[in-house]
Amino acid sequence: MRKLLAYPLTVLYAFVFLMCLLIFHPIQWICFNVFGYQAHKKSVDTLQLCLVRCLHVLGTRFTWNNPHNIPTNKPLIIVSNHQSMYDISPIMWFMRQHHIKFVSKKELGKGIPSVSYNLRHGGSVLIDRKNPRQTLPLMLNFGAYIEKTNRAAVIFPEGTRSKDGHPKPFKTKGIELLFKKAPSALVVPITVNNSWKMLRYGKFPMGIGNHLKFTVHQPIELNTVEDQKELIKNIEQTIIKAIVLDT
């Protein structure tokens, strides 16, 4: 019965989701090209709120647990597990005051209304996972940008999403490069739970009635850490321990 109900709700969700992307694409263009970065950011923030609200059509609920007073005058390196594309808008919305930017694969930089435009023009970095030689300078430049502007880089070190919630081993090179070029950053681990259930049946229909939970762990001052490799291991364990693998 639950899966049967998911079919019409998925169609309705797909419609409102696509409308949001199509409506905000020209809004972003105008904001960026006429009014500049701050206006563009506000348009992107509003888009993320709308995308989060669209998920309510599917009966999706959100819990954002952040007991920490994270300053906005320092660069952030946000390290998170990755369960689906539905991790992204909540992180962007609930941490919008930190000017969220992503380490993303280059394929997302074209063909998706609103999303591709923001990735290309909003400060994120698009990398070719098949070309490590090209990735190195891009990641170093991205880290320097975060350090200079006191903005936030989000990286999913698993490299790809987990389709069943079980975490994949971290690929550490990208984090190490960000650490190198943003030495004054706060490192903020985040655990995502239940996002994978949005695609538990595949792309159609979508999962309904899910409770997506985000836990922000204790931020760490990068410049107080002597062994960064050990820090990455500890962050990975912190994130993994908070993953709940219920069905």
Side-chain angles (χ1 to χ4, degrees), residues 79-84 87 129 155-172 175 190-192 196 232-233 235-241 243 245:
V79 184
S80 174
N81 64 314
H82 190 28
Q83 296 188 347
S84 78
D87 306 339
R129 292 183 295 185
I155 185 168
F156 299 119
E158 292 165 289
T160 186
R161 65 183 178 87
S162 169
K163 296 181 180 180
D164 58 5
H166 289 83
K168 300 178 183 295
F170 276 14
K171 298 176 181 178
T172 64
I175 306 177
I190 294 180
T191 297
V192 179
W196 68 272
I232 295 173
K233 291 179 182 179
I235 290 170
E236 183 174 12
Q237 288 306 306
T238 295
I239 292 171
I240 289 173
K241 286 178 181 178
I243 296 175
L245 295 173

Side-chain angles (χ1 to χ4, degrees), residues 45-64:
D45 289 346
T46 307
L47 169 63
Q48 303 316 314
L49 174 61
C50 291
L51 295 180
V52 168
R53 294 286 184 255
C54 284
L55 286 167
H56 292 327
V57 170
L58 299 169
T60 309
R61 294 174 292 144
F62 297 90
T63 294
W64 181 267

Side-chain angles (χ1 to χ4, degrees), residues 75-199:
L76 303 186
I77 298 174
I78 298 172
V79 184
S80 174
N81 64 314
H82 190 28
Q83 296 188 347
S84 78
M85 63 176 278
Y86 304 101
D87 306 339
I88 294 171
S89 286
I91 292 175
M92 292 187 73
W93 172 247
F94 288 109
M95 299 198 75
R96 60 192 179 279
Q97 68 271 30
H98 298 288
H99 297 249
I100 298 296
K101 317 299 176 187
F102 282 88
V103 178
S104 184
K105 57 184 180 181
K106 72 170 187 177
E107 291 83 358
L108 297 179
K110 57 183 179 180
I112 309 173
S114 286
V115 173
S116 297
Y117 188 89
N118 180 48
L119 287 174
R120 292 197 312 272
H121 300 284
S124 295
V125 62
L126 295 165
I127 62 172
D128 183 352
R129 292 183 295 185
K130 298 178 182 178
N131 189 348
R133 185 173 297 180
Q134 181 194 53
T135 297
L136 177 62
L138 289 175
M139 287 296 293
L140 291 174
N141 289 339
F142 184 52
Y145 164 76
I146 294 301
E147 176 75 10
K148 180 180 178 180
T149 58
N150 288 333
R151 292 171 184 164
V154 177
I155 185 168
F156 299 119
E158 292 165 289
T160 186
R161 65 183 178 87
S162 169
K163 296 181 180 180
D164 58 5
H166 289 83
K168 300 178 183 295
F170 276 14
K171 298 176 181 178
T172 64
K173 187 62 176 179
I175 306 177
E176 292 170 0
L177 293 172
L178 291 178
F179 282 3
K180 180 177 180 179
K181 298 301 288 187
S184 69
L186 278 176
V187 185
V188 183
I190 294 180
T191 297
V192 179
N193 274 301
N194 298 330
S195 173
W196 68 272
K197 294 179 182 179
M198 301 301 298
L199 300 173

